[in-house]
Amino acid sequence: MNSARAQTTGRARLPPEVRRAQILDAAEALLQAHGGLPLPLDELGRAAGISKALIYAYFPDQHALANAVLSRRMEAMMAAGLAQAAAEPDLTAAALACADLYFRDVAAAGPVVHIVLRDPFMAGRVDAETERRRDRISRRLARAARRDLRLSAKAAVAALSLMTTIPEEAGRMAKAGDLSLERGRELTARLIGSSLRALSPEDG
């Protein structure tokens, strides 16, 4: 009976977690297409194959939607070992491992983390737990940069922020098909390594 009804209506009833994932998939794609927030919900509904009203059943507002996108990408990177990578005692090993994880996430899903975190629409509205996770990673790397590169706190943060653009841009190119995954990972590692060497203090 349910199968017949789904065939006549043209839409099967999906489990909530599957429907939620569809909405987030569509939101990630639209974020890249539009380059920012808020998203056009009519277009999001069409992309996800649902009504705009059903989007609100899962996400009460666009801040909740953007935070869900951000949290999903952060969860994916944490599951891939981001916290462990940042905890590497050697700065070069930590930076290379974190850059590789970020490259692979951008190559798979696009620069959605960058878009959400930098969009003025999300100012003061980023989920607190997501911010804490991001800040823990950033602080670990910044402390290592201050120690090994003998940089001030501000200079360490600036250097890491600039180096973040390397895996991000390589990931964008890989997702667009302009760069193979293998070549993107290689270039990311070489450029991060050369950046760190250029910042290393002269001994003696």
Side-chain angles (χ1 to χ4, degrees):
M1 179 69 71
N2 289 341
S3 176
R5 182 177 298 174
Q7 289 177 358
T8 57
T9 60
R11 180 181 299 169
R13 184 182 296 276
L14 296 176
E17 63 274 13
V18 174
R19 184 67 76 190
R20 186 176 189 274
Q22 284 185 337
I23 297 170
L24 293 178
D25 287 343
E28 287 183 0
L30 280 182
L31 272 170
Q32 294 166 78
H34 288 272
L37 295 158
L39 297 175
L41 292 185
D42 288 330
E43 191 174 345
L44 177 60
R46 286 193 298 272
I50 61 175
S51 68
K52 183 165 69 172
L54 189 55
I55 295 173
Y56 284 114
Y58 286 87
F59 305 103
D61 56 42
Q62 293 228 24
H63 294 109
L65 173 63
N67 272 311
V69 168
L70 185 60
S71 178
R72 186 168 75 154
R73 297 270 42 94
M74 182 64 74
E75 288 289 347
M77 286 190 283
M78 295 297 279
L82 183 60
Q84 294 88 336
E88 285 280 348
D90 178 72
L91 172 62
T92 299
L96 288 173
C98 288
D100 185 63
L101 283 167
Y102 187 42
F103 163 79
R104 284 187 279 155
D105 192 75
V106 176
V112 293
V113 170
H114 172 84
I115 294 171
V116 174
L117 287 176
R118 298 299 178 90
D119 198 296
F121 181 76
M122 292 301 291
R125 303 301 295 269
V126 174
D127 177 72
E129 178 57 28
T130 301
E131 282 200 318
R132 280 192 292 270
R133 283 182 161 187
R134 178 198 63 183
D135 291 345
R136 280 196 294 268
I137 301 298
S138 299
R139 282 195 296 269
R140 285 174 179 172
L141 292 172
R143 282 196 298 267
R146 291 180 65 187
R147 180 195 67 222
D148 294 356
L149 303 178
R150 302 176 197 169
L151 298 174
S152 67
K154 286 185 177 180
V157 170
L160 292 172
S161 180
L162 288 170
M163 279 189 277
T164 299
T165 64
I166 294 170
E168 189 170 276
E169 187 57 31
R172 287 177 193 255
M173 295 176 69
K175 182 165 178 58
D178 298 327
L179 195 65
S180 71
L181 286 174
E182 294 77 11
R183 184 60 172 159
R185 293 182 71 186
E186 178 191 351
L187 284 174
T188 295
R190 290 178 63 181
L191 290 171
I192 291 291
S194 62
S195 297
L196 291 170
R197 287 191 295 274
L199 289 168
S200 294
E202 294 289 339
D203 292 329

